[in-house]
Amino acid sequence: MLSVLILVLLIGAALIGFSPSGINGKFARGVALVFASIAFLWTIVLAIQFHPGEITQQFAESVPWIDVLGLNYNLGIDGLSLPLLVLNALLTCIAIYSSDESLQRPKFYYSLILLLSAGVTGAFLAQDLLLFFLFYELELIPLYLLIAIWGGEKRGYAATKFLIYTAVSGILILASFLGMVWLSGSSSFALATLNPTTLPLATQLLLLGGILVGFGIKIPLVPFHTWLPDAHVEASTPISVLLAGVLLKLGTYGLLRFGMNLLPEAWAYVAPWLATWAVVSVLYGASCAIAQTDMKKMVAYSSIGHMGYVLLAAAASTPLSVLGAVMEMISHGLISAMLFLLVGVVYKKAGSRDLEVLQGLLNPERGMPVIGSLIVVGVMASAGIPGMLGFISEFIVFRGSFPVFPVQTLLSMIGTGLTAVYFLILLNRAFFGRLSAQVINLPRVYWSDRAPAAILAVLIVIFGIQPGWLARWTEPTITAMVNSQNVVVAVSLDKAMGAKD
Amino acid sequence: MVTIKNKAVHNPLAEYIERLQKGEALLPDNPENVLEVVGILKSYGVVLDAYSKNLNYIAEHQFLIFFPFFKYFNGEVSFQKLLRHWWHDRINFEYAEYCLKAMMWHGGGGLDAYLDTKEFKEKAQAVIAVKFKNNPFIPGINQLFPDFLTEHLRVSAYYTGLGQFWRVMADIFLSLSDLYDQGKIKSIPQVVEHIKAGLVANALNPITYAVKIRGEVYEIIPKSVGLTFLADTAIPYVEAVFFRGTPFHGTVSYNAQGYQIPPDQTRFQYGALYADPLPIGGAGIPPTLLMQDMRHYLPEYLHEIYRHSLRGEDDLRVQICMSFQKSMFCVTTATILGLMPYPLDTKDPNEEKGNRVYLEKWMSRLETSQLLDVNK
């Protein structure tokens, strides 16, 4: 069942890629949307059939692949990967729908988007370290091309920077994965058979270091973040949606799945430092966002800050905090995607994202009142206003992390206040007052421009009011994962105490 | 012999002075402007017709009523009309009252002067006495606060004054539209000439006010007072609504405590000719109300142009406002030309000089108006 998800996207990519050269952009988009929609509906079917109470991998598929390498085609879903799969499928549909009909080389573009989505889907499904790595690398190439070909003025620079950072990230992750398998004496990369907890703490720390930096680049965490604002600014709107909405989550997913879960002892050891690192990311991201005059860059820096919350929650490693981390991943995926979509509409219509140029866009007649109102919803959600998903996810993160890291949690909470500050600056400058002379003759905004963000806004409010509908898929898996981690940490602590005696 | 006219070189709007000296309008003459101006004046005419009927109804039937709940219903109260009123898909008669209050506030003209005379007060008191003849309470109140009910009738007098003025203007605009439909109006100067002719033809129409109480007619503004259409309602209206306006009833709110409003009302420049067509913030402010009313009665040829504009019907009210300002500059042109101290084609140098001084004064007032914008 799970392979179908990847195959549908790959078949779609191949079909569009090898179609006759004469097909127009609208047709290619339609075909891509059909395949992405099938994948999305399939994830919904999987979600309906998923049993939240079962903490083992569900719909598991296992096919031996290259025995010599210990590589197997193992797929499965649990409460951690399911919501991310659904998010990826939804945002892929939205990204395709939001793509410009008249863009150049549409066949190649839509093929790459479907390929990208297939890579991400595979990474979330993979239950084998090497398989995860292959999918993780698979999404790198389409994303590089999508930025390098259809990006803005400095797309070459941004894409190359992204490529270099992510390649380094890949090397570190691969090195850690190989270390985990080879040093623990395992004959396979399968997650189920892997047990690196037997390794000495120093070795575990070394391996965790590779994972932390590797996924830290992808998330991104300060100081490995500099590729992100450039990539966002140069990427087209749909690619920014996928980048912020899904691809950054590969990093946080990797941290939880392969860092916290596989190396719990080392994780517990470095947790206070991780929490401090999270605080630095949160405050640095928010401070940088305040200084921006480009709306897109502001939202990009906001992502850096928000990803810090996930690290804080993961560092605390309580069932509640890790649940908060997953909620924050989903929440950020929806909110940042929505904000990038809206900023994209502003840019498309006004020709600028510069807060020095834009003014009065909420004007009911000549501005973009609906787009402005949706941005108000988006920034309220991002700033953690009650009644929206952003609030509940941040609340769970803080509530779960506070007993373990009270100081770091309180400092991170300042980040929430700063989020309100920079987004109010954005709203005040771009949306209030009289329309500035440069944007007085804006073209019409259609419902097709508003619909994608409106859909996300509805989800943000629904899950904000009823977060249980989201948490129920994840909670049992997370609780089991954190409990088993705590057992390992407790046993190793006992061992250490015994050795001292 | 060649006559060389002195050019008004110091005025930043010298170009427009020259235009007026040549008998042209403040608005450029082209087919697009003609269509826009005539079309918008057609819808304005329909709205003014409704406003004037309501103003006259209020003056004649709702005077000295303290809680005139159904004053916008013109005597036809039904549940269906009430629902429509609450739903707000109706003529916003409130706009007419805003204009009335602006006129009252700024004053000027014979009507304003007459309402402060002893004669008016006597006639008002006579009407009050008859109206509340059988009421044991109100005459006592009237004795204690004699200005209270008199002021009510003063407002009623303004209702009828503006109602009678708009009655004439509505007919002028609707007949202009009819002539355009018949192909008889083809240029902006013709539009101006039609309006000017209408103003001149009705200039001496008497402005009177009488009310009927229990079958008896009581005059409040008799014909003998000598109030006339042009001098006593049209000019004060243009001054109050086109030029001065009210600082809080425009498209921009001003802060009086921040000294953003001149202390002298004559220096106000918040009228229709100065208004920013882009609304900022709250709905329901008068220009928005007028545009909302006019959009229901746009002629199809003008509506079609708006539909095919950059934003389609999304900014319909802004487009109406811009067209409306164009049309108001035509009405202003007609007023300026109609009030010229000397004939436009005079050869007398002194009269020419007098005309130029007169035009320069007008243009000085229009320096901060939307004149340059409507000419872009």
Side-chain angles (χ1 to χ4, degrees), chain A residues 213-466:
Chain A
V213 177
F215 287 119
I217 290 171
K218 190 76 181 177
I219 289 173
L221 295 168
V222 176
F224 310 119
H225 66 283
T226 60
W227 65 269
L228 184 76
D230 289 325
H232 268 307
V233 168
E234 296 308 321
S236 60
T237 298
I239 306 311
S240 281
V241 166
L242 289 175
L243 186 58
V246 185
L247 290 157
L248 306 188
K249 309 303 171 295
L250 272 180
T252 46
Y253 172 80
L255 271 193
L256 293 175
R257 177 74 80 197
F258 308 112
M260 189 190 85
N261 196 33
L262 290 182
L263 301 163
E265 203 182 335
W267 186 267
Y269 191 82
V270 299
W273 299 103
L274 293 182
T276 308
W277 192 5
V279 172
V280 172
S281 262
V282 166
L283 296 181
Y284 183 83
S287 306
C288 286
I290 290 174
Q292 301 309 312
T293 53
D294 182 330
M295 289 170 86
K296 209 172 181 186
K297 237 176 183 172
M298 197 178 261
V299 181
Y301 274 108
S302 161
S303 289
I304 295 168
H306 279 83
M307 288 293 97
Y309 299 138
V310 180
L311 183 63
L312 173 75
S317 296
T318 63
L320 194 60
S321 74
V322 180
L323 175 66
V326 178
M327 296 281 279
E328 179 65 32
M329 284 155 71
I330 303 301
S331 152
H332 179 262
L334 294 174
I335 296 169
S336 61
M338 179 185 168
L339 288 174
F340 277 118
L341 281 169
L342 294 167
V343 171
V345 176
V346 170
Y347 185 59
K348 185 175 155 191
K349 302 292 174 183
S352 175
R353 299 184 301 253
D354 191 346
L355 294 176
E356 307 282 338
V357 172
L358 300 174
Q359 197 186 315
L361 292 179
L362 261 179
N363 188 294
E365 303 278 337
R366 287 253 163 134
M368 308 174 179
V370 179
I371 293 294
S373 305
L374 286 169
I375 286 197
V376 172
V377 172
V379 301
M380 280 167 68
S382 190
I385 302 295
M388 304 199 190
L389 187 54
F391 166 76
I392 203 72
S393 56
E394 284 175 24
F395 180 77
I396 297 174
V397 165
F398 297 143
R399 181 70 189 84
S401 307
F402 186 79
V404 186
F405 300 118
V407 176
Q408 289 93 330
T409 306
L410 287 172
L411 287 170
S412 292
M413 286 165 85
I414 295 172
T416 304
L418 292 177
T419 307
V421 170
Y422 59 73
F423 276 140
L424 278 176
I425 290 172
L426 182 146
L427 284 180
N428 190 41
R429 287 194 190 165
F431 289 92
F432 290 98
R434 190 190 188 277
L435 267 175
S436 55
Q438 292 94 327
V439 291
I440 208 148
N441 285 315
L442 295 176
R444 202 171 188 178
V445 180
Y446 297 94
W447 274 106
S448 55
D449 298 314
R450 300 164 183 148
I455 291 168
L456 296 178
V458 169
L459 290 175
I460 288 164
V461 174
I462 287 175
F463 288 131
I465 294 167
Q466 192 52 271

Side-chain angles (χ1 to χ4, degrees), chain B residues 296-367:
Chain B
H296 293 299
Y297 305 103
L298 291 173
E300 189 49 35
Y301 54 83
L302 183 60
H303 206 161
E304 194 60 18
I305 286 175
Y306 292 153
R307 278 193 205 104
H308 288 96
S309 66
L310 188 63
R311 291 191 50 109
E313 290 194 286
D314 282 6
D315 63 343
L316 188 61
R317 286 179 299 184
V318 173
Q319 295 189 67
I320 291 173
C321 189
M322 291 163 97
S323 301
F324 179 67
Q325 274 182 332
K326 285 185 178 180
S327 73
M328 289 303 105
F329 277 105
C330 290
V331 177
T332 306
T333 306
T335 311
I336 292 172
L337 294 178
L339 296 173
M340 286 280 267
Y342 305 105
L344 201 58
D345 53 356
T346 180
K347 303 291 179 205
D348 182 335
N350 285 332
E351 289 186 351
E352 274 185 356
K353 195 177 174 186
N355 276 348
R356 199 175 59 247
V357 169
Y358 163 83
L359 290 175
E360 280 183 354
K361 276 185 184 167
W362 275 106
M363 287 306 114
S364 300
R365 295 192 71 185
L366 291 174
E367 270 178 35

Side-chain angles (χ1 to χ4, degrees), chain A residues 25 36 76 87 89 104 129 132 157 163 172 238 275 305 350 373 398 451 472 482:
Chain A
L87 179 71
Q104 299 290 313
L129 292 187
F132 171 86
Y157 168 76
L163 188 68
L172 289 169
S373 305
F398 297 143
R472 65 183 288 264
V482 174

Side-chain angles (χ1 to χ4, degrees), chain A residues 40 43 85-95 334 455-456 459:
Chain A
F40 174 60
T43 59
L85 268 178
V86 178
L87 179 71
N88 175 47
L90 171 68
L91 292 185
T92 303
C93 292
I94 284 180
L334 294 174
I455 291 168
L456 296 178
L459 290 175

